[in-house]
Amino acid sequence: MESVIWVNLPQQAYEIAIAGSGLAQLGAGMTNLNLGKKVLVVSNPTIFRHYGQEAIASLKSAGFDVTSLTLPAGERYKTLNSVQKIYNAALENRLERSSTLVAVGGGVIGDMTGFAAATWLRGINFVQVPTTLLSMVDAAIGGKTGVNHPQGKNLIGAFHQPRLVLIDPEVLKTLPMREFRAGMAEVIKYGIIWDAELFEQMERSPHLDSLRLDSSLLQQILTRSCQAKADVVGKDEKEAGLRAILNYGHTIGHAVESLTGYRVVNHGEAVAIGMVAAGQIAVNLQMWDKTDAQRQDALIQKAGLPTQLPAGLDIEAIIDTLQTDKKVKAGKVRFVLPTQIGAVTVTDQVPSDVIRTVLRQMSTCS
Ligand code: GLY
């Protein structure tokens, strides 16, 4: 099974190739892109142990001159210090303007490698080989790269589009179940914001976890999710408007993640909680049908994701944290709210009392 989705942008177009045994095709996939010979593969130790040699062998057999670097995984390592290590390796290996950084890993590796590629020699080529469901359907597509500042997530960054995104669904077999579920939150997000058929397909499926998902359904879920992301990014590369809908569930989700120190819930779980909250806000404002909100919450539950706030989280602290979100514009918090399954709207007209009421309903201590 193989799908190819194009991300069509004003300055360039690139392919998202989704293919079983895709890793073995990495070198061949890069040969037609008019890249220089030198390639630096950046990965994390676990992923590199599983897939590094296969990726390198494929690149070498296509004639590339390959070196590699591993960096620790995890949000707390997504720093300028780690990017400095990529620069050091680029210098040591004499990477040139025509050279390529290949990220083989999840969102953290992809974001840091992309940022290094955006800035080294004012911009070199970049290829994404995402290895988590979350990075396959979201982070690896669309050119958002960057690192965290001690005061906030992704505050330092640049738009730098990859030349190719290569997705090999087979690598998901080594992904921990909790990480797979986190990715499913973003897939459900696409169902709500863009693709009602994807949503219904998941509703019809008896299971939504990686171990029991058949490979044909997984391929369809990946293809439709990547298509949704490619459509949105193709219409609004730099987030002047439409792209903000990709933040559905992220407003309250980010507040929950940051207030729990990025330790209690992972990103996908936070997005799931945020989608439940946004859905309830939309119902409260009479913008969304209650039955559709229940369908959303049921799907989130079926995917093994949380629908309630973590215990002990202070609701006023969440409301305060919303004010520091990147999405705040002129002091107003912007929410992405569903109007039907497959369509959303962006608004900054959500009264704090409505947020408070919804969060109280979702509180595990109430
Ligand atoms: N992950 C949101 C975006 O790419 O815009």
Side-chain angles (χ1 to χ4, degrees):
M1 273 179 292
E2 186 163 345
S3 326
V4 173
I5 294 144
W6 281 91
V7 183
N8 290 306
L9 299 170
Q11 307 296 330
Q12 74 172 109
Y14 60 91
E15 255 183 34
I16 306 167
I18 308 173
S21 306
L23 262 188
Q25 298 166 39
L26 175 61
M30 283 171 55
T31 43
N32 295 329
L33 299 176
N34 200 19
L35 306 170
K37 264 181 102 63
K38 285 195 177 181
V39 170
L40 173 64
V41 171
V42 183
S43 190
N44 72 58
T46 310
I47 291 296
F48 193 78
R49 187 157 33 81
H50 285 299
Y51 306 112
Q53 290 315 325
E54 193 177 348
I56 288 175
S58 166
L59 288 163
K60 283 189 173 161
S61 71
F64 289 103
D65 172 2
V66 193
T67 48
S68 64
L69 169 73
T70 58
L71 294 170
E75 200 62 40
R76 67 182 181 285
Y77 297 107
K78 200 171 120 178
T79 59
L80 283 174
N81 192 37
S82 298
V83 171
Q84 178 70 50
K85 291 180 181 156
I86 306 179
Y87 295 150
N88 293 347
L91 190 69
E92 255 168 51
N93 294 297
R94 299 182 198 284
L95 260 55
E96 300 160 2
R97 287 294 292 273
S98 62
S99 304
T100 308
L101 294 184
V102 177
V104 181
V108 170
I109 290 293
D111 283 9
M112 292 195 300
T113 309
F115 186 66
T119 45
W120 185 249
L121 304 180
R122 298 200 182 87
I124 64 171
N125 299 309
F126 170 44
V127 167
Q128 287 269 25
V129 184
T131 57
T132 61
L133 180 59
L134 200 137
S135 58
M136 288 176 181
V137 298
D138 185 20
I141 306 163
K144 279 190 181 175
T145 73
V147 294
N148 300 331
H149 182 276
Q151 301 302 315
K153 237 181 128 173
N154 295 328
L155 291 181
I156 305 161
F159 282 100
H160 188 60
Q161 298 293 340
R163 300 289 307 277
L164 168 72
V165 180
L166 182 92
I167 296 176
D168 182 348
E170 284 167 26
V171 305
L172 293 175
K173 62 179 185 284
T174 52
L175 187 70
M177 180 70 88
R178 191 170 171 198
E179 292 299 312
F180 186 88
R181 289 177 175 155
M184 283 308 294
E186 300 284 354
V187 175
I188 294 170
K189 177 190 84 177
Y190 292 122
I192 297 287
I193 67 168
W194 199 255
D195 186 348
E197 173 54 33
L198 169 63
F199 186 92
E200 284 157 19
Q201 207 170 12
M202 290 187 282
E203 270 186 325
R204 287 192 299 269
S205 160
H207 306 293
L208 283 183
D209 60 58
S210 61
L211 299 180
R212 287 173 287 180
L213 211 59
D214 67 77
S215 55
S216 129
L217 180 63
L218 180 59
Q219 180 84 11
Q220 286 175 50
I221 280 176
L222 286 168
T223 305
R224 292 193 87 108
S225 299
C226 292
Q227 186 68 62
K229 176 104 192 216
D231 288 347
V232 173
V233 170
K235 287 182 165 54
D236 177 22
E237 181 184 3
K238 302 273 169 75
E239 203 167 316
L242 179 75
R243 188 165 175 166
I245 70 170
L246 298 173
N247 294 324
Y248 177 54
H250 287 58
T251 310
I252 284 175
H254 276 162
V256 170
E257 258 184 304
S258 101
L259 283 170
T260 52
Y262 299 96
R263 271 185 271 265
V264 177
V265 290
N266 63 31
H267 180 67
E269 290 162 350
V271 168
I273 293 166
M275 290 193 291
V276 173
Q280 286 307 317
I281 289 170
V283 171
N284 235 285
L285 296 175
Q286 299 185 334
M287 294 166 64
W288 201 27
D289 196 74
K290 194 174 169 190
T291 324
D292 283 348
Q294 285 164 347
R295 285 172 65 196
Q296 168 191 260
D297 299 357
L299 194 58
I300 289 172
Q301 265 173 340
K302 186 162 95 170
L305 290 159
T307 53
Q308 289 202 297
L309 292 172
L313 206 55
D314 180 29
I315 287 166
E316 291 311 315
I318 300 180
I319 292 173
D320 284 351
T321 305
L322 294 178
Q323 293 300 328
T324 62
D325 196 275
K326 280 206 300 304
K327 292 173 281 301
V328 169
K329 221 177 180 178
K332 296 202 164 193
V333 184
R334 278 190 306 161
F335 276 91
V336 181
L337 300 180
T339 51
Q340 60 186 67
I341 288 177
V344 284
T345 187
V346 182
T347 176
D348 60 8
Q349 299 298 314
V350 180
S352 296
D353 277 350
V354 172
I355 305 174
R356 202 169 274 117
T357 305
V358 164
L359 292 177
R360 280 202 190 114
Q361 284 161 0
M362 292 176 63
S363 170
T364 33
C365 323
S366 65

